Amino acid sequence: MAKVLIVDAAPIFRDFITDKLEVENIQIEFANERDAYLKLNNIFPDLIILNIKRYSESAAINPLIIDFLKKKIEDKNMRSVPVIVTGPQIEKEEISQLLKYGMIKYFKHPIKYDALFDALGRVLKKPFAMDTTPSVMDVHLNNNIIFIEVAMGLNREKIFLLRYKIEELIEKNGITIPKVILMMTSLSLSFVDGMNLEFLFDTIKKNPKISNKNIKVLTLDDIVAELVEGHEEYKGIEVAKNLSTILNSLVVSDGSVEDVISDNILSVSDKSDEEDNAIEMRFTSDSDKEDALDQAGSTLSIAIVDDDNIIRILTQKAFLNIGATSELFASGKEFVEMAIEKREKKYDLIMLDIFMDEMDGFTVLELLKKSKIDTPVIIYSQAFKREMIVKALSLGARSYLLKPQKAEAIIQKAMEVLNAEKK
């Protein structure tokens, strides 16, 4: 049986890695930086996973860790044991120092776990079975509401990891009564997905602080409602196709619906995302999709419809980062004349403001729908009131971004919407 020694791991990482490795029949031992060398000699592991924390502003590596690695490399029986290190962003000189002490791989926080397990499999000569289903899973929290957005597909690895992300959010933010909104409006499901759906619900319910009555699901698929109705253990979970229904049922004493929308759906402010060792819900394989979008960028045509000249230019620059071409429209009327009435050009994506003179974004959405033009639309606006968001989504908008956003956030949202359309 293969043995792995994990040194100085954060509790959530320790629990996650234990669950994952024990399934593969791998023995795990834990140690802190002070007793690591003693444990090393007692169990003689096949691999060491070492977590480092930032020790000071001038150095990331604790002297006790360096001392442990020196002893290991000087011990002729132990020097050949490979070491994988996880930690914060560090300088090249510090990486070189770790390499001298037998490190074979460094994973920067937050760790992309598919890459980590690929490395573990290579070292232990035991390939790990990984679900490669394309999936986007974003999790964030503000106040006591956890928003889980799933697009493209249901990936069991990400669902497995979700349990620990939820635990991280609840613990680090001190939430006593967490509420969950599971958003799957961009996900097209079939009965084949039933087992993974059950796994998703069971994973959310694993946290004892989350009760069924505080789990709300937004989906356009009847399959989800049928699954929930057919399981006694899911009794109390609310499934709806209308965002306002879910928000009204959750918002009782937590503030206005408008505040919940602006503070929760359209922004991220949970403490864990600010920390180096936060659970990463994106995998290295997701970068392949981003690379594919980069490669296809020159063929992507984006319509940016906004009466704010600065916003138009900034959004255009964001898409230039992936080589996409953008056509700018200063009003809804101008866009409608070109794209709907004259049909002179077809776009891959439309970035649309709500508040515009002559013709607002709602009218544009209505005309797109009436003309049966199914180009995906992302609303990019300062409009944050509940009824505005609900109306935009009901008129066919695929997603919603609150102004202003960094270029990375705009591209990320565009990637999610475009990949969901391809599925």
Side-chain angles (χ1 to χ4, degrees), residues 40-107:
L40 179 66
N41 280 276
N42 284 341
I43 68 170
F44 195 17
D46 299 282
L47 172 68
I48 299 167
I49 301 176
L50 174 63
N51 181 63
I52 60 173
K53 306 180 185 71
R54 188 160 294 285
Y55 179 65
S56 67
E57 289 188 8
S58 60
I61 307 173
N62 189 322
L64 289 173
I65 292 295
I66 296 297
D67 183 57
F68 162 67
L69 291 173
K70 280 182 178 178
K71 288 180 180 178
K72 173 197 167 298
I73 208 74
E74 291 168 357
D75 188 328
K76 63 180 181 180
N77 295 318
M78 299 297 170
R79 67 174 60 142
S80 62
V81 178
V83 181
I84 289 177
V85 181
T86 69
Q89 179 74 47
I90 60 176
E91 300 297 326
K92 289 182 179 179
E93 294 76 12
E94 293 170 310
I95 291 283
S96 299
Q97 185 181 20
L98 291 170
L99 288 170
K100 287 192 297 185
Y101 295 129
M103 181 190 76
I104 61 169
K105 195 81 173 175
Y106 189 89
F107 288 95

Side-chain angles (χ1 to χ4, degrees), residues 263-328:
D263 291 341
N264 295 287
I265 293 180
L266 305 176
S267 65
V268 180
S269 62
D270 50 90
K271 297 175 185 176
S272 64
D273 279 356
E274 300 169 3
E275 301 185 14
D276 280 338
N277 59 353
I279 294 287
E280 173 64 83
M281 294 305 295
R282 292 184 176 275
F283 287 175
T284 302
S285 55
D286 294 333
S287 299
D288 297 337
K289 303 180 191 69
E290 294 174 18
D291 292 342
L293 186 61
D294 289 345
Q295 293 166 9
S298 59
T299 66
L300 285 176
S301 178
I302 316 295
I304 300 171
V305 189
D306 200 304
D307 61 0
D308 186 321
N309 184 51
I310 293 175
I311 291 292
R312 287 199 305 273
I313 293 171
L314 289 175
T315 309
Q316 181 184 39
K317 286 184 177 179
F319 283 108
L320 277 175
N321 291 332
I322 60 167
T325 59
S326 301
E327 192 161 350
L328 310 185

Side-chain angles (χ1 to χ4, degrees), residues 144-145 147 177-182 211-218 236-257 260-261 386 390:
N144 67 338
I145 302 180
F147 286 82
I177 306 176
K179 299 173 181 179
V180 175
I181 293 183
L182 176 59
S211 63
N212 285 9
K213 69 178 182 178
N214 285 328
I215 301 174
K216 314 294 179 181
V217 185
L218 183 65
I237 294 177
E238 181 183 358
V239 181
K241 295 182 179 181
N242 190 310
L243 182 63
S244 61
T245 302
I246 285 178
L247 290 175
N248 282 323
S249 65
L250 273 182
V251 183
V252 178
S253 59
D254 299 310
S256 69
V257 172
V260 172
I261 290 172
R386 180 200 64 181
V390 172

